[in-house]
Structures are given as structure tokens and as C-alpha cells.
Amino acid sequence: MEFSEHIKTANVEDVVLRQPLHPPGRGTLCITGHHLLFSDREEGSCRQVLLLLRNIDAIEKSVENLLTCSGLFSNAGLSQRLSGSSGTITIKCKDLRVLQLDIPGMEECLNIARSIETLSCLDSMSELYPFFYRPSSASLRDQWGLSSLERHYSQMKELHDRWRLSTVNRDFSVCPSYPQAVIVPKSTDDDMLEKVAKFRQGGRFPVLCYYHKKNGMVIMRSSQPLTGANRKHCREDEQLLQAVIDGSDKGYIIDTRSSQQALQARMTGGGLESKSCYSSWKRLQRQMERGKALQESLIKLVEACGEESNNMDRWLSKLENSKWLSHVQTALSTAGLLAECVERDGHSVLVHGSEGTDSTLLISTLAQLIMDPSCRTLEGFLTLLEREWVQAGHPFQQRCAHSAHSHARLQQESPVFLLLLDCVWQLWRQFPLALGFSEALLLRLATEAYASDYGTFLGNNQQERCALGVKENTHCLFQALLRPRERDCYSNPLYEHTELAIWPSVYPQSLQLWRGFFLRWTPQTHHLEEAQEEIRNMVIEWGKLALSSCPASTRRSEDVQNM
Amino acid sequence: MEHIRTPKVENVRLLDRSSGQRKASIGTLYLSATHTIFVENNPETRKESWVLHSMVSSVERTPTIPAGSQVILRCKDFRVFQILVPQERDCLDVHTSLVRLSRPEKYSELYCLSFNPNVNKEERQESWSFMDLTADYKRMGLPNNLWVSTAANSEYRVCETYPSELFVPKSATPPIIVGSARFRSRGRFPALSYFHQDTLAAVCRCSQPLSGFSGRCQEDEAMLQALMKANPGSDYIYVVDTRPKLNAMANRAAGKGYENEDHYTNIKLHFIGIENIHVMRSSQQKIIDVGEMRFPSMTDFLYGLENSGWLKHIKAILDAGLFIARAVADEGISVLVHCSDGWDRTAQACSVASILLDPYYRTIRGLMVLIERDWVSFGHKFSHRYGHLDGDPKEVSPVIDQFVECVWQLSEQFPCAFEFNERFLVAIHTHIYSCQYGTFLGNCQKERRDMRLGERTHSVWPELWKERAQYTNPLYRAEQSQSQGVLRPNTTPYCFKMWKGLYNHAEKSTPPRQSPADFLSTVREESQQLEEELANQQERIAALNGEPITWEKVLRRRTSRPRPPPLRAGPAVFYTDPTSSPAQEPPPPRRISLCSRPGVGSRRLLHCCLRGQRPLLWLEGGLFLQ
């Protein structure tokens, strides 16, 4: 394997591993092309730690030629003295865990560090672990993915009157970041779509992303129009949007930039829908932070959480200064506005920012969770993520290349997906009975988006995934999460279906730091997990009792247990 | 009665600002001797709001506007009511009456002395014997060969503010006690608060010594020596001074101060740095303001929270309790706690330590016992601190509020460790201020005895105990690891958050959020029923011995899942920036606390159901003109 050239030292004995929530352990460290494997050699313990190298965000190494080292174990001091040197590698993971390895031997330490540095950020996607992961429990021939737009369309009979499935993008030539099939108004033909695509950044012409069954209104999404400085316009684009609100008096355009940002975008070829050309559309500008600012916000927050300071004022001012919770607030209230327009005001909405691959997806997803009960089950939520993030072309590869610890120069990194999960968690906390999945699912997704055994989040869009043969050569995360055992752990025992919309409160007092994620590796999170476990047990116990004392209720109780 | 200038005003508009209500409701305002009552005109709802006069913390009259004159009522449970009276003269009358009624001058004017639930004399007496502190000492294993009950303070001879029965080390003779009391501020000599049976270490409390710069007292030194000797395993004790060191030093100039380590052998002095009542008072005012902010940005909110310093103070108290608990449980060292007078910060630190040390105090009954012991019986100045009577505003301070909040913060960190829920804590908080029961009246046991409160009022504890079903935390299991042993909380700043349920009514009363706790309580209740039923069935099967069983007949019980509370029908929050007062009314608040209406249960008011009105959309620029 070509990875071997990056591995100078594959095995080191007598390594001490320190990790949160566990006592330090001594054992053997082993590095492979994709993993760091530590196996405990303490008596009576057979603990193994398997860490995906891709999960490593940054490492710090320090080596010393020592005679002064105060080892944790007395015999450690001895062996270190014999080799005359040792080193320490601090590993900071993308899931915010921090590990420390004390490695005897300076050279071994440096070799290991170098291997980690190289192997944790391989550029070539086809070398990533998902292409090598072959669990015995699954076969590559298993179904990949949960749904497709074709299937989604054929299931949504209500759509068929006014909407059609277009395959204008079947070879990804019209819009490289869109899937092969999209849903558009029936009255627009493919030629028109091609023209509209030329008028929208990255070819992301307006497509349907949500149909509100209660009133037939829709959410469309796209990228910004390329009006440019000389205010170009595009008749086909106008016609397409007119076709969207056909029969209704008006529609809204929610632009996730401030008015000023939108106007400035003209200088670089972008722009916004002018009133004169889109007379029946009312534009609402809602500034949402994106890109680098969001990444920096995450970095600041993680830094604040990692600080062991005992000073309350300092913590609160750092929390404020990170602005992360402000971003959560903005995202939820913009999504609330979007849902308000559709559900309460009864009008269709077009959402876009500039590229239409980040904040656009964020608020359209949240709005669907707020309005649509079918998105709130475990399957429903995963299907929503598949449709609105994976297939809709959120560039996971670029956005999740690094997380909060990395010292690498920021390029395209931005924790938009993490922000989504945080917002969903806020919804979950405010409506503990309305969502069919658990916090554990959100945590799992937060980890998998950055480093995964599965191919689901590989690549930036469907085109790249097709080229790499992701479907043929990797396993699907969403399918794996729905297997019975996983389903048990990722479903919400309290879930109770409700048809009503769940309107989140966006008062600052109602929004909280997502402890489960940001303070995941601290002991008190453990108490909260215990509470969740207790809830699960109570409900299961209740289900069993209901089952055993009343055979007639068998089916319902099974439902409970299968949740 | 003579204070009520006008008993009834019609066509009054009332706005419950703290509930996030946006549009005033029109109705009639009544002033009774004990309550302000507002009845809505709307014939469909006829909603009533009751506000106890003793819950009113301030009454403010704002300048007259064309629509009438306005009175703003701020309550001690942080609710705010705006009352608009059409006639200025009526308004003046209402204001003057309320100002007087909300500031009773004599104990005899207080609600508990007129509050007369339908019970006979025996029942009332029984209600007072519900709380038995001797039983609690017995539970700790006292008296034993180390600690004994002393009669030194019978008839409150040595210390007026202490209870008559106290536990002291066996070797502390009456002369030592009396001598030590003379050397301690207000005679509050070292006495036992909690005895930890596992380590034989004890938590004791007293007031500051009158040492000045060089004063000393043999008996006091002997007293501390006796404390140490009462813990056979140790050769020193901790003396925890809960004040900031600077404050303690300043007190020396006034002839008070702290123990000189040169004079007392075998003590280790430790300063904690909890601020004084004046700092706490102004800090709480700031956090109330944060809770009242109408549309704060995240930055405003977090800045306000930081600026109030409130969480910092809560953390300091929890840190004090944790220090004591660790000393007692981990090191096995006894601790003597004091502040200045030994009735505010000392009570906080000791009671938090007890909560951490002993799982019993994490139960419903246990928390009552703890408050009775460390606060009521040890002479915390309830009437002064919580403004029961019109008096010196500088004496008012949210001391026990902070203790209650510490318990809440702990329960957030250990969701399965407490038998009670947030409602129980809020109920206790309310009754401390309400003066509906005699339990928290007066400033010490002697005062309560002199007022014969036991004969003239009722005790709050049995009332809370009766209602315990609604105060139970469904996640609590006594046998669980979280519920047992010493609680070791993390006190890193990120573990603290604002207690929304207490300070932020605006959010609380937006239509009911889904409550997993209520849901789980139902689940648990039903599980128990099912278990019983199952046992019954098995018995029957055994009895029938092989006969065919007709399940259908036997089981006629509900087996569907318990219903969760209904979701509200529309958004209570608007995702746009508000600029003027919207013409929209959210459903009425469901929670009406303190509707302590004599004779009639509060249940009826709790059942005010939600009438989901369709709110108007309200976006910028008058876009939605619905």
C-alpha cells in the first residue's frame, strides 16, 4: 500500500495514553494508513482505542532529551532513561476530544507525528478510509442512500399537477453542484432552465425544495442572480419565478445577506432580484454569518470551552465574544421567518444567499423541521439531510476539512453543518417530544461529517461522488444508522407524533450552549447522558409492562420498543 | 380594611408584562384586604388574576396619559403587572391603597394571621409537629458519645437568635459555651449543623469572634478545641470564613474579625469570598432587569448576565459548600463556618454542604428539614431579608433565593439525583415571600414563639407535602448511583446558567412547552399501575389454577401512551424586529402562581386553557396588514 511510505515507525511499545474521562493507560501504539490504534497492556484490561486519522485536526509535539522526566509510572522513568529521550504528542480531534501520547524515544515520536500529519489530511479523496471500510455486517450491494429525488417526486402526488421532474442536469453540465434530477414548475422547459442556470451563480437555478401540503405553497432555493454592475436581467428567470407563484398574488425572496452585502455583490458579478423585474416578489434581507466568520466563531467558542479558568465573568464574555449563540439565534429566527411566510402567511418563498450551498440549505432545512411532521422522525430527518445537504450539494469536503483546533490556514472551512445540528438540538430541547431522534444522533452526525467510515459525506456534490464511484465502493451512513441496533440508540423514546408546527423560541434565554457537543468530554455531560438513559429505560419498562399485562396492546408496545 | 380607598374599579386594563402578554385585557379590579383581584370582562374566559398584597415588592405610578393613569405592580416572584385606570382619581386611590397594603407595618396585618383554611385546631397543631428536627439529629446518629444536646440556651438565655435546643461537643461545658458566646457576635457560639456519620466529621456554625486586633478568649479557644476533639480521627479543624478576606480584616477595626491562628491551636483558616447582602441585593436587581428585557440580542443578554455578577455569586456559594463537603467527606476534617453574624452566608454554605454530603436532603422531605434546620431554626432573619414588614430596605437581600438557586443549579447538573423538581423550588421561594403560612415569619425561634405563631398560623410544610405528587422528579431513583453518596459538582463557570424558570417569566408563560417531566411522571405512574395489575393477574392465574383466562374481560384499562401536553398553535415569538406594539394577543398564561385564594383551590385557575388565537403576522414595513 502506498501509505507505507508515510509510515516510518509503525509500532511503539510502552506508550502512555491520556484521554478524557478515562484513567491513563499504558500499551502499544500502532499506526496504519487510516488509523491510530492503541491497545492497553495493563493487567486485567484489554482496552483498545481506535482513532481514525482523518478525525485528527491538529497535533502538537514536544520532545525532550531527558533525564528529568517525571514519568507517571516509576518503571516509565527507567525505560525512558535507557533510550535517553522521549516525546509527547497532543492530538486534538475534530470531535473536540484531546488525547495525549507519551512516547518513549524521540525518533519514534517524531516519526509517528510526521505520519499523523501526513495521513490525517490526505488530499486524494479516493485514498480516504470509506473506500477501504468493509464491515462484515454490510455488503456493497446493499441499497445506498435512503431516497432519491426521482422517488421523492413520485411519492409526492400533490406535486404532479404543477411541477415536473427535470433531468436537464443528467450529465451535471448545467449545474455541477446539483443532483441529476430536480423539481421545477411544469411550465418551464429544459431550454429555459439552461438559460436560467447561466443567470445564477454556479448554475444553481431555482428548484423546489419543499411543498407545504396544507396550503400548496413551496420553498424554492437557488443561488444569487448574476445581475452584475450593469443590472443584467434574465427573462427566463423571471418567468420561472412567475410560474412558481402562478395563481397567487405574491411571493417572498429571503436573501440571507444584508442589503448592503447584496448590493456590493453586484461589483463581483452577483446581485439581487430587482423590484422592477420581479414585481410580484417581495425581498426580505436577513443577514446570516457565513464562511470564515463562522469558522472563527467556532474556534473561539471551543477555545473558551477548553479553558480551565474559574472566572465567571471571563467565561461569559468569551461566550459572548465567540458569537456562536448569536449565529444560532439568527439561523433559527430566519428559519422561523421562512416558515411563518409559508405556513401562516400562505405564500411561496425563494431562499438564496450568494452561492446557495450554505446558509440557504441551513434555513430551508430548519423551516422544514418546523413545519413538516414527516421530517421529524428518524428516517424523515435523515432523508431530509440526504436531500437538502448531500444531494443539494453542500460542499462537505471543503467545509469540514478542518475543525476548531486546526492551525492550518483557513480555506473553505466553515461549520455550517455543525450550526445546523446545533439549531436542531435547540429545537429538540425546546420540543423534547416532537422529534423522533435523540441527541446521540446529532452527536454522531457531527462526528461523521468530519471523519467517517462511510462514504455519505465524501465529496462536495453528486458529480464528484459519481466520478469517485462512492455509491459502488463505500457504505452508506444513513442506512447504517437505521439498522435495528443503531435505531434503538438514535431514536427518541419520548417521541409523539404531532401535526402542528413547532415554533422555536429565539429569545436568548431560551437558547443554550450545546453542552453535549461542546463539553462532550467533560464528566458532567456524563450525568446528563445517564438521565437520558434513565428516560429510555423508563419508557421501555413501561412498554414491556403494557405488553405483558395486555396482549391486545402488543402492537403498540412493540412500537415503543422499536423506537 | 381602612387602607382600601376604593374596593372596585371598572374598565381597567391589565397587562401581565412578565408573561409576555402583548395586549391588555379589560376588566374589573377589586381590592380586598389580602389580594388584588382582576376579573376579565370577556364573558367567555372571565379570567381571574389574583395577586397577594404581600407579594408586591413595589407599586409605581407613571405620568398620566390620555387613556388614563397607570400603576405598575412589581412582585417578589418577579412578575410585573401594568394596570391602566381610566380615571386619574381612581388610579390615585388604587395606588395609595396598594402602597399601604403592600407594606404592612405590623405582623398582625400579615396574611397568615387571617388565612384560615378549613382545618380544626387539632389539625393545625398536627401541621406544626410535621417538622421534627430532633428526628433529623437522630437520623444523623445524635446524640452520641461525641456530641450532646445542650440546655444552655433554653429560654434563649445565651443567644436570643438561636434555637433552644442545640448540639455541641460533649466536652463543651456550660461555662465554655457561655464564655464562647460572649466572645462571638450576637452570642452565636459554635454549634453543630450537620454530623457526617461515615467520617465522624461535623459541620458547625457560629458568628465572627469579637477579636479585634488582639482580643482572645480562653473559653472560645477551648470550644474550638472541643470541636476538634469531637472528631477523633483528626488533629485540626477548618475554620471557614465565608467573607472576602478584606471584609473580614476590616471588621477587626470594629472589634470583630476572625480567629487569630496564633491563639487557636490546630485550626486552618480558609476564606471563601461570598459578597455581603448589599452586593447581592443589587446583583439580583440586575439579573431581574435582564429577565425583563423585552427583545434583547444575544449580546445584550450575555453582557447583562455577566454585568449582573449573579452567577459569579452563585458559584461562590456553591464553591463554599463544596469546600466544606470535601473537607468533611474526603479528608474527614470537621469544619466551623462563620461570616459576620452567622445567619446569612453561613446558612448558605452549611446548607449547600449538607445537600452535597447527604442524599436525604435531596429528597422532598429532606429539603424541608434542611431549610427548617439551617434557616428557620438557626435564626435567619426572614422578615427582614424578605421584606415581610415595611422596614429598612437595606436589610432586604435575596439570601435564601441564592440557596434555592444553588439547589436548582445542582439539579441541572445531576438530573436524577433529586427527588423534587423545579416546581418545588419555585413553590418554596414563593412561600418564603408570601406570608401565607407562619413558617417563615419573624427572624428567629424566640420571635415566633412570642408571637404564638403555632396557635395563630399554619405551617407550610404539610401543605407542600400533600402536594408532593406534582413536585416529584420522575427521573429520581433512590437506589441510583447519582442519588447516592456525596455529590461532587463541577463548578467550572460553564456549568452555571440563568434560572429561566424563576427570572424569566416572559418565556415561561408563553404557551406550554413540552415537558418531558410531566410525560415521564405519567409513564411512571402508569408503569406502577401496570405492575400492580400484573401482580393481580398472576395471583388470579394462580388461584384459577389452569382455568382458561379471559383477558379481554380482565383488562379494560387504557393502554395507549400517555398524552403529552398539547403544543401551542402558533408562534409566540416573532422572527422579526419589533418596532411598535403589535395588535396581537398570545394565549393567556397558563401558570398562575400564588393564586392563594382562601378556601378555593388554585386548580381552577391553573386550568385556564389555551385559546390559540391566530396571531397576526407582523413583519417590517407594515407588510402584513392583516
Side-chain angles (χ1 to χ4, degrees):
Chain A
M1 212 162 31
E2 61 266 27
F3 302 119
S4 57
E5 69 195 60
H6 300 301
I7 302 174
K8 292 247 166 58
T9 303
N11 278 298
V12 198
E13 297 286 340
D14 228 9
V15 173
V16 175
L17 169 74
R18 290 165 221 271
Q19 57 173 337
L21 309 178
H22 292 285
R26 171 181 300 277
T28 309
L29 181 74
C30 188
I31 188 162
T32 72
H34 294 111
H35 287 101
L36 208 56
L37 175 67
F38 175 86
S39 42
D40 207 324
R41 287 291 150 84
E42 297 289 310
E43 246 176 76
S45 142
C46 49
R47 191 157 50 114
Q48 288 206 334
V49 177
L50 185 68
L51 182 69
L52 203 56
L53 288 171
R54 188 80 189 166
N55 193 356
I56 297 176
D57 206 15
I59 66 167
E60 284 158 22
K61 50 183 188 281
S62 66
V63 288
E64 31 192 323
N65 254 320
L66 51 108
L67 284 169
T68 51
C69 170
S70 56
L72 193 80
F73 302 84
S74 53
N75 61 343
L78 197 71
S79 62
Q80 279 164 354
R81 215 161 291 158
L82 287 175
S83 62
S85 62
S86 84
T88 298
I89 301 179
T90 306
I91 295 175
K92 299 185 170 172
C93 299
K94 291 171 183 167
D95 60 9
L96 307 185
R97 192 165 23 156
V98 178
L99 309 173
Q100 198 185 315
L101 295 165
D102 297 340
I103 299 171
M106 185 167 80
E107 203 183 324
E108 284 86 347
C109 178
L110 289 176
N111 283 342
I112 296 271
R114 210 168 297 128
S115 302
I116 293 177
E117 275 167 354
T118 323
L119 293 169
S120 65
C121 33
L122 293 172
D123 283 330
S124 158
M125 248 185 280
S126 59
E127 288 176 3
L128 293 178
Y129 186 59
F131 289 101
F132 298 86
Y133 177 59
R134 295 291 175 264
S136 54
S137 58
S139 151
L140 282 181
R141 282 191 299 274
D142 292 346
Q143 194 201 336
W144 211 98
L146 303 175
S147 183
S148 63
L149 257 135
E150 288 87 345
R151 231 177 101 196
H152 180 63
Y153 179 78
S154 66
Q155 283 167 350
M156 298 275 289
K157 296 273 181 290
E158 308 87 349
L159 285 177
H160 299 185
D161 258 6
R162 291 187 47 224
W163 302 86
R164 72 185 183 94
L165 197 70
S166 165
T167 49
V168 65
N169 198 38
R170 59 192 158 279
D171 52 0
F172 303 108
S173 59
V174 176
C175 172
S177 61
Y178 269 168
Q180 282 148 314
V182 290
I183 302 170
V184 292
K186 211 163 202 172
S187 56
T188 50
D189 56 37
D190 285 357
D191 292 344
M192 233 174 117
L193 293 178
E194 281 179 43
K195 286 184 186 135
V196 177
K198 291 205 178 73
F199 183 65
R200 294 275 172 178
Q201 187 176 358
R204 294 176 72 91
F205 54 89
V207 295
L208 177 124
C209 79
Y210 173 67
Y211 178 84
H212 196 53
K213 287 180 191 161
K214 282 180 202 152
N215 58 13
M217 293 300 135
V218 298
I219 300 178
M220 307 283 292
R221 54 173 157 70
S222 69
S223 59
Q224 64 176 338
L226 300 172
T227 54
N230 45 12
R231 319 215 172 156
K232 262 197 326 216
H233 59 94
C234 168
R235 186 151 307 259
E236 288 79 7
D237 193 71
E238 292 155 25
Q239 282 167 355
L240 193 159
L241 289 184
Q242 194 56 45
V244 169
I245 52 168
D246 181 36
S248 162
D249 55 334
K250 68 181 168 196
Y252 295 104
I253 296 174
I254 294 183
D255 189 334
T256 63
R257 303 164 295 177
S258 68
S259 309
Q260 207 192 353
Q261 281 172 329
L263 290 171
Q264 271 172 357
R266 282 183 180 163
M267 297 300 123
T268 49
L272 39 76
E273 290 84 355
S274 67
K275 254 197 191 112
S276 56
C277 298
Y278 300 86
S279 52
S280 14
W281 290 81
K282 162 85 188 169
R283 232 181 29 243
L284 303 167
Q285 308 284 155
R286 284 291 179 279
Q287 189 189 352
M288 291 176 67
E289 220 46 83
R290 62 196 75 228
K292 213 170 166 179
L294 212 52
Q295 182 73 12
E296 275 161 6
S297 166
L298 175 71
I299 292 173
K300 280 186 194 161
L301 177 62
V302 170
E303 193 189 302
C305 292
E307 198 177 295
E308 285 298 309
S309 155
N310 223 6
N311 184 320
M312 184 66 72
D313 292 351
R314 198 179 153 87
W315 158 249
L316 287 173
S317 81
K318 286 200 149 191
L319 181 63
E320 193 282 304
N321 192 34
S322 80
K323 296 277 181 242
W324 180 262
L325 286 173
S326 304
H327 301 325
V328 171
Q329 188 187 28
T330 312
L332 276 172
S333 60
T334 314
L337 173 72
L338 170 55
E340 221 176 353
C341 290
V342 175
E343 154 109 10
R344 310 213 132 253
D345 192 54
H347 284 102
S348 292
V349 187
L350 168 70
V351 188
H352 71 72
S354 36
E355 292 173 3
T357 54
D358 298 293
S359 46
T360 306
L361 305 181
L362 176 61
I363 67 163
S364 73
T365 308
L366 289 171
Q368 292 181 54
L369 274 172
I370 292 172
M371 289 186 287
D372 184 4
S374 68
C375 297
R376 301 187 207 132
T377 61
L378 180 58
E379 280 100 335
F381 180 58
L382 293 177
T383 313
L384 176 69
L385 289 183
E386 184 179 62
R387 196 173 66 235
E388 285 293 274
W389 289 78
V390 178
Q391 292 168 355
H394 175 68
F396 279 100
Q397 204 67 29
Q398 293 173 354
R399 298 290 182 260
C400 302
H402 287 285
S403 180
H405 291 300
S406 173
H407 306 299
R409 207 169 61 82
L410 292 183
Q411 292 169 335
Q412 301 274 333
E413 290 84 354
S414 183
V416 194
F417 188 64
L418 198 56
L419 183 61
L420 169 84
L421 296 176
D422 195 332
C423 293
V424 176
W425 178 80
Q426 307 282 353
L427 274 175
W428 179 83
R429 214 185 53 80
Q430 289 186 18
F431 299 93
L433 276 54
L435 298 173
F437 45 88
S438 66
E439 183 178 11
L441 178 80
L442 301 175
L443 291 171
R444 173 84 186 260
L445 289 169
T447 310
E448 297 281 347
Y450 282 86
S452 179
D453 294 347
Y454 298 90
T456 300
F457 294 124
L458 276 183
N460 293 309
N461 49 52
Q462 291 294 74
Q463 189 187 19
E464 284 186 29
R465 278 176 214 117
C466 282
L468 285 165
V470 165
K471 229 175 203 175
E472 294 77 29
N473 298 310
T474 72
H475 292 281
C476 171
L477 172 68
F478 294 146
Q479 286 291 349
L481 294 176
L482 290 174
R483 283 193 304 241
R485 245 186 58 214
E486 274 76 5
R487 195 187 277 267
D488 267 358
C489 146
Y490 295 128
S491 57
N492 176 7
L494 298 176
Y495 174 65
E496 180 82 18
H497 177 84
T498 169
E499 278 297 322
L500 290 169
I502 49 171
W503 301 101
S505 160
V506 294
Y507 282 106
Q509 297 92 316
S510 312
L511 302 175
Q512 284 187 1
L513 179 68
W514 185 12
R515 280 156 201 248
F517 181 74
F518 292 105
L519 303 169
R520 189 174 180 179
W521 307 105
T522 55
Q524 78 274 14
T525 308
H526 176 66
H527 302 304
L528 303 181
E529 280 165 15
E530 268 178 23
Q532 288 299 326
E533 195 54 43
E534 181 65 34
I535 291 176
R536 186 176 298 278
N537 290 340
M538 271 175 76
V539 177
I540 290 177
E541 185 68 11
W542 173 82
K544 277 186 192 154
L545 280 164
L547 178 73
S548 55
S549 58
C550 182
S553 69
T554 309
R555 253 195 51 229
R556 280 203 71 85
S557 312
E558 269 173 1
D559 290 347
V560 172
Q561 283 171 325
N562 289 343
M563 269 190 332
Chain B
M1 283 298 159
E2 71 271 29
H3 307 306
I4 301 172
R5 292 206 179 180
T6 169
K8 177 178 172 188
V9 189
E10 283 179 345
N11 290 322
V12 169
R13 284 163 190 272
L14 178 102
L15 183 68
D16 183 356
R17 219 160 69 182
S18 47
S19 74
Q21 199 181 338
R22 283 151 194 258
K23 196 183 160 200
S25 38
I26 304 173
T28 310
L29 188 79
Y30 299 90
L31 292 184
S32 82
T34 54
H35 288 85
T36 305
I37 305 151
F38 176 82
V39 184
E40 232 177 59
N41 281 352
N42 186 345
E44 271 179 47
T45 49
R46 298 290 288 174
K47 194 179 85 117
E48 298 169 14
S49 307
W50 292 63
V51 180
L52 200 54
H53 294 323
S54 44
M55 285 308 281
V56 175
S57 68
S58 77
V59 192
E60 190 187 320
R61 206 162 66 89
T62 57
T64 306
I65 52 170
S69 316
Q70 198 168 235
V71 172
I72 297 175
L73 223 60
R74 282 169 203 281
C75 298
K76 292 170 180 173
D77 59 355
F78 317 118
R79 291 185 303 163
V80 184
F81 296 94
Q82 247 167 289
I83 303 168
L84 188 72
V85 183
Q87 296 297 321
E88 194 180 353
R89 224 193 53 218
D90 287 339
C91 179
L92 201 65
D93 284 346
V94 168
H95 178 252
T96 319
S97 316
L98 279 176
V99 164
R100 180 61 188 82
L101 291 166
S102 67
R103 286 182 206 154
E105 285 161 0
K106 298 189 292 283
Y107 281 118
S108 58
E109 294 172 30
L110 288 178
Y111 182 41
C112 57
L113 292 166
S114 57
F115 176 60
N116 191 16
N118 198 10
V119 292
N120 59 29
K121 202 176 153 202
E122 285 72 38
E123 281 175 297
R124 189 180 57 214
Q125 273 167 357
E126 213 173 292
S127 89
W128 283 103
S129 54
F130 174 84
M131 185 57 65
D132 180 10
L133 284 185
T134 323
D136 185 44
Y137 287 114
K138 211 172 194 170
R139 202 188 52 84
M140 292 182 215
L142 300 181
N144 58 16
N145 57 355
L146 302 167
W147 295 87
V148 292
S149 165
T150 174
N153 201 39
S154 64
E155 290 307 305
Y156 312 102
R157 277 178 310 218
V158 179
C159 173
E160 281 213 324
T161 59
Y162 263 180
S164 52
E165 196 192 354
L166 283 165
F167 279 84
V168 290
K170 198 168 193 179
S171 55
T173 58
I176 291 184
I177 294 172
V178 173
S180 168
R182 269 197 212 112
F183 188 63
R184 292 277 168 182
S185 174
R186 301 183 195 264
R188 293 172 70 90
F189 58 89
L192 182 112
S193 157
Y194 177 71
F195 179 72
H196 194 58
Q197 274 173 296
D198 296 350
T199 60
L200 303 183
V203 181
C204 303
R205 51 184 291 178
C206 61
S207 60
Q208 64 183 338
L210 304 174
S211 56
F213 290 103
S214 58
R216 60 188 294 184
C217 164
Q218 257 182 355
E219 288 94 341
D220 195 58
E221 287 160 29
M223 185 74 183
L224 266 63
Q225 191 72 17
L227 291 183
M228 189 201 83
K229 289 224 176 97
N231 180 4
S234 72
D235 45 14
Y236 64 94
I237 62 168
Y238 282 112
V239 175
V240 169
D241 190 327
T242 54
R243 298 169 292 183
K245 190 165 184 185
L246 213 63
N247 300 20
M249 282 162 81
N251 262 299
R252 292 168 88 169
K256 301 167 189 168
Y258 53 92
E259 291 79 359
N260 186 336
E261 276 173 291
D262 297 338
H263 298 163
Y264 295 84
T265 44
N266 310 323
I267 68 163
K268 285 192 182 173
L269 205 55
H270 188 87
F271 291 92
I272 299 271
I274 303 174
E275 297 291 346
N276 63 27
I277 56 167
H278 312 294
V279 175
M280 301 307 189
R281 182 174 53 242
S282 80
S283 172
Q284 192 190 38
Q285 188 50 53
K286 285 182 196 155
I287 201 166
I288 294 171
D289 295 345
V290 170
E292 268 184 36
M293 280 199 268
R294 297 201 69 179
F295 298 100
S297 70
M298 189 55 83
T299 300
D300 295 341
F301 171 71
L302 288 172
Y303 180 74
L305 201 57
E306 179 191 342
N307 200 36
S308 74
W310 183 255
L311 292 178
K312 183 169 71 185
H313 301 313
I314 298 293
K315 175 173 153 50
I317 295 162
L318 209 53
D319 276 328
L322 189 58
F323 176 86
I324 299 166
R326 280 197 181 135
V328 169
D330 300 346
E331 299 177 60
I333 304 293
S334 293
V335 185
L336 175 64
V337 188
H338 71 72
C339 48
S340 299
D341 288 321
W343 52 41
D344 294 319
R345 287 169 273 198
T346 302
Q348 289 175 334
C350 289
S351 49
V352 168
S354 286
I355 288 259
L356 297 178
L357 282 166
D358 195 334
Y360 175 67
Y361 300 118
R362 294 172 224 144
T363 63
I364 290 178
R365 193 184 265 270
L367 186 71
M368 297 181 188
V369 169
L370 180 64
I371 292 176
E372 179 75 23
R373 187 191 75 210
D374 268 341
W375 296 82
V376 178
S377 133
F378 258 106
H380 175 65
K381 303 206 287 179
F382 280 94
S383 280
H384 287 168
R385 294 292 177 259
Y386 312 116
H388 292 166
L389 297 180
D390 191 23
D392 184 359
K394 285 208 173 74
E395 280 283 313
V396 176
S397 186
V399 183
I400 201 166
D401 297 38
Q402 292 183 314
F403 164 67
V404 173
E405 180 162 343
C406 281
V407 179
W408 179 81
Q409 300 277 2
L410 285 171
S411 72
E412 284 288 293
Q413 222 177 98
F414 301 94
C416 308
F418 293 84
E419 191 194 9
F420 46 82
N421 56 20
E422 179 178 7
R423 252 179 242 153
F424 184 57
L425 297 174
V426 173
I428 290 180
H429 179 267
T430 301
H431 283 300
I432 284 166
Y433 286 92
S434 73
C435 301
Q436 185 177 348
Y437 296 93
T439 310
F440 301 117
L441 225 57
N443 295 311
C444 59
Q445 209 179 58
K446 182 167 180 285
E447 263 187 56
R448 280 189 289 274
R449 191 198 60 172
D450 293 349
M451 280 191 273
R452 294 186 295 112
L453 289 181
E455 296 155 42
R456 300 163 66 200
T457 69
H458 300 263
S459 166
V460 70
W461 302 128
E463 292 308 309
L464 291 173
W465 181 247
K466 259 184 240 157
E467 299 277 299
R468 66 186 175 279
Q470 59 157 320
Y471 298 134
T472 305
N473 168 17
L475 290 179
Y476 175 76
R477 287 251 204 290
E479 67 276 14
Q480 218 172 33
S481 63
Q482 250 187 62
S483 320
Q484 290 176 338
V486 179
L487 219 50
R488 294 169 203 281
N490 185 336
T491 60
T492 316
Y494 55 63
C495 297
F496 294 82
K497 47 192 173 184
M498 177 167 167
W499 188 2
K500 216 172 60 177
L502 192 66
Y503 291 109
N504 192 7
H505 290 248
E507 229 288 304
K508 183 165 55 183
S509 5
T510 49
R513 303 249 138 211
Q514 292 184 321
S515 156
D518 290 345
F519 180 81
L520 286 171
S521 298
T522 327
V523 163
R524 166 164 274 196
E525 217 170 87
E526 222 172 85
S527 291
Q528 275 163 3
Q529 283 174 11
L530 284 169
E531 240 163 40
E532 281 166 26
E533 208 161 286
L534 193 62
N536 284 342
Q537 298 311 330
Q538 279 163 350
E539 270 171 33
R540 278 194 62 168
I541 293 172
L544 291 168
N545 202 13
E547 276 182 48
I549 302 151
T550 47
W551 286 104
E552 295 72 24
K553 273 186 195 167
V554 182
L555 294 157
R556 278 271 168 75
R557 54 175 332 264
R558 190 168 68 99
T559 45
S560 65
R561 310 191 67 191
R563 297 301 307 166
L567 276 175
R568 60 156 174 245
V573 229
F574 291 84
Y575 305 101
T576 43
D577 320 310
T579 46
S580 63
S581 94
Q584 172 270 329
E585 184 178 1
R590 198 169 73 139
R591 196 200 79 109
I592 297 168
S593 75
L594 246 218
C595 29
S596 31
R597 184 178 174 190
V600 181
S602 55
R603 281 294 165 79
R604 193 162 64 83
L605 294 175
L606 275 168
H607 285 171
C608 288
C609 62
L610 298 172
R611 210 164 294 269
Q613 271 177 293
R614 186 189 148 99
L616 299 183
L617 271 173
W618 192 58
L619 304 177
E620 65 188 351
L623 183 64
F624 297 94
L625 297 169
Q626 193 177 348

